[in-house]
Amino acid sequence: MTPGPEQHNGAGGATARSRPDNQPRPGGEPLLAVKGLTIDLPGGAVQRGLVEDVTFDVHKGRAVALIGESGCGKSLTSMAILGLLPAAVGVVAGSVLFDGVDLLTCTKRQLRRIRGGPVGMVFQEPMSSLNPTMTVGDQIAEVRRLHLGERRSVALKQARELLERVGIPKAEKRLRSYPHEMSGGMQQRVMIAAAIACEPKLLIADEPTTALDVTIQAEILELLRDLRRDLDLAVLLVTHDLGVVADFCDDVVVMYAGHIAERTPVDGLFYEPKHPYSSALLSAVPQSGRARTSLTVIRGRVPSAGQFPTGCRFQPRCEHSVDSFCTRPQADTALTDDRRTRCGRVAGGDLTLKGAVRG
Ligand SMILES: Nc1ncnc2c1ncn2[C@@H]1O[C@H](COP(=O)(O)OP(=O)(O)OP(=O)(O)O)[C@@H](O)[C@H]1O
Ligand SMILES: [Mg+2]
């Protein structure tokens, strides 16, 4: 039995605008299927459940946002997909099917062929990924040489076209520049050029615009939007920005303390969130066009790994928590074909949360 019905009048914040590139509902096999992904400290260490039972799909051509506060496991999840987890942690359960192949069982060599080939990557800090001792032309050309076996001269010609494609002026001259001779926005464009050099099917971008100023952020997102349209690219986008989610993405995966709280098409998040954590995230964003004296923040903080509650991980911070029910583990439950929640109260129909946008 779950406790009695309750209505919550959420949430100001970002609004879901109509997205011209919003894809039709997907059918068929997903391009990327992450199933039961569990990441921990291996080697018999105390189980900490850094990331536990994470399951979601990315379909061809669609953009999926991975959101949640700092430390919720977004980067570990995206690094695990690409076999790039830091040495201290490892995948202890689950599968990551990309185009039908389980990336978790691939050898390092196979993964190197997939990364930069059918799966491109862009990270927050371009300088941590670009090689400071190589010209940007050679770095982009190297991707094509490695994956497509092109000769240097051919690959450099392609690199020049790629620089033009990502909006870098004077591409011929820029081929010979070193990363430190470029601005942060230009470096990020170079990263994107390298990521799309072999026409990937999937781009994984971990906060690709966070380090950039607002105008440049908008330009980079516009570029990603064009690339999505032109290459029919699927995108897994890690972001803190609900405006970016509303503008750019089709589906959202909300993570909290290593669990998925909710999975939903974007509009569902803004119109009718299905987890109190999603609702709290919406409330934490200032309403556009309205002055606010103070920003609502979610009370408390994400528990450190190893200190997760045994029941609902959000329970200690949840304003809808009912102790006797929510201190028990909550199952990841399907509500409809495309919506899931890990809140038993919502799944049981005892709690309805209203979104930032009225339906
Ligand atoms: N190498 C590591 N060893 C041990 N714990 C780690 C390691 N890397 C990350 N963690 C822990 O795993 C949890 C999730 O980290 P992760 O970097 O995935 O968070 P995130 O959601 O990407 O946060 P942010 O928004 O700040 O980037 C955090 O508690 C973090 O302290
Ligand atoms: Mg991160």
Side-chain angles (χ1 to χ4, degrees):
M1 280 283 285
T2 59
E6 183 186 333
Q7 279 256 327
H8 168 56
N9 267 335
T15 53
R17 278 173 254 160
S18 66
R19 278 156 281 124
D21 50 349
N22 201 5
Q23 302 284 310
R25 294 245 68 77
E29 287 299 305
L31 181 63
L32 178 75
V34 178
K35 225 177 194 164
L37 181 68
T38 301
I39 301 170
D40 244 312
L41 300 170
V46 182
Q47 287 296 296
R48 307 206 301 174
L50 285 181
V51 166
E52 191 172 71
D53 191 23
V54 160
T55 298
F56 65 92
D57 294 337
V58 181
H59 282 260
K60 187 167 178 274
R62 285 180 79 83
V64 176
L66 200 50
I67 65 169
E69 289 165 287
S70 191
C72 283
K74 306 179 297 295
S75 293
L76 286 185
T77 300
S78 43
M79 288 191 286
I81 293 169
L82 296 164
L84 290 174
L85 279 176
V89 296
V91 173
V92 294
S95 61
V96 174
L97 290 184
F98 173 73
D99 243 354
V101 175
D102 189 350
L103 301 185
L104 298 183
T105 61
C106 284
T107 60
K108 284 190 174 145
R109 190 151 180 257
Q110 288 168 323
L111 280 173
R112 272 198 299 272
R113 296 217 69 81
I114 290 167
R115 294 194 295 258
V119 183
M121 306 160 291
V122 183
F123 297 108
Q124 180 177 341
E125 287 293 343
M127 276 315 280
S128 64
S129 308
L130 293 171
N131 181 340
T133 66
M134 267 173 101
T135 64
V136 299
D138 273 328
Q139 292 190 55
I140 298 169
E142 193 179 61
V143 181
R144 288 192 64 98
R145 294 173 72 189
L146 182 72
H147 289 275
L148 306 174
E150 283 179 352
R151 279 183 295 122
R152 182 167 179 263
S153 57
V154 176
L156 274 173
K157 196 163 162 272
Q158 295 297 330
R160 196 197 127 173
E161 281 177 25
L162 283 157
L163 287 183
E164 279 167 3
R165 179 72 195 81
V166 298
I168 293 188
K170 300 188 188 133
E172 182 69 42
K173 191 168 160 229
R174 280 308 193 180
L175 279 179
R176 293 185 292 276
S177 297
Y178 288 88
H180 71 268
E181 295 170 331
M182 303 179 118
S183 67
M186 286 296 156
Q187 289 169 359
Q188 199 56 299
R189 284 174 196 268
V190 170
M191 277 293 296
I192 294 171
I196 62 161
C198 299
E199 302 204 352
K201 297 177 181 176
L202 172 69
L203 185 70
I204 298 183
D206 190 345
E207 303 198 46
T209 61
T210 310
L212 306 172
D213 75 48
V214 181
T215 322
I216 310 295
Q217 270 185 36
E219 286 174 16
I220 296 285
L221 280 172
E222 203 49 49
L223 168 63
L224 290 176
R225 199 190 308 274
D226 290 348
L227 293 173
R228 265 186 78 190
R229 192 191 52 229
D230 297 348
L231 305 177
D232 200 16
L233 193 62
V235 180
L236 178 63
L237 180 70
V238 176
T239 180
H240 281 108
D241 188 333
L242 288 176
V244 170
V245 174
D247 272 350
F248 186 80
C249 296
D250 303 300
D251 302 296
V252 194
V253 175
V254 182
M255 284 194 78
Y256 183 76
H259 275 166
I260 291 186
E262 170 173 4
R263 271 174 301 162
T264 174
V266 163
D267 290 347
L269 178 79
F270 291 99
Y271 282 95
E272 197 187 347
K274 295 291 189 189
H275 196 286
Y277 180 59
S278 314
S279 171
L281 280 179
L282 294 175
S283 302
V285 178
Q287 266 178 331
S288 55
R290 239 196 253 178
R292 268 204 172 181
T293 46
S294 68
L295 182 71
T296 314
V297 287
I298 310 173
R299 72 185 160 101
R301 51 198 296 198
V302 182
S304 308
Q307 285 161 11
F308 296 141
T310 49
C312 169
R313 290 185 173 181
F314 188 55
Q315 180 270 330
R317 301 172 75 189
C318 180
E319 59 183 81
H320 306 287
S321 150
V322 175
D323 279 356
S324 57
F325 182 78
C326 302
T327 49
R328 282 183 262 148
Q330 306 286 304
D332 180 2
T333 308
L335 302 172
T336 56
D337 278 355
D338 57 7
R339 298 203 71 172
R340 298 183 75 92
T341 180
R342 204 179 262 275
C343 174
R345 293 201 63 206
V346 170
D350 297 321
L351 174 63
T352 307
L353 303 156
K354 282 208 176 134
V357 182
R358 299 286 133 92

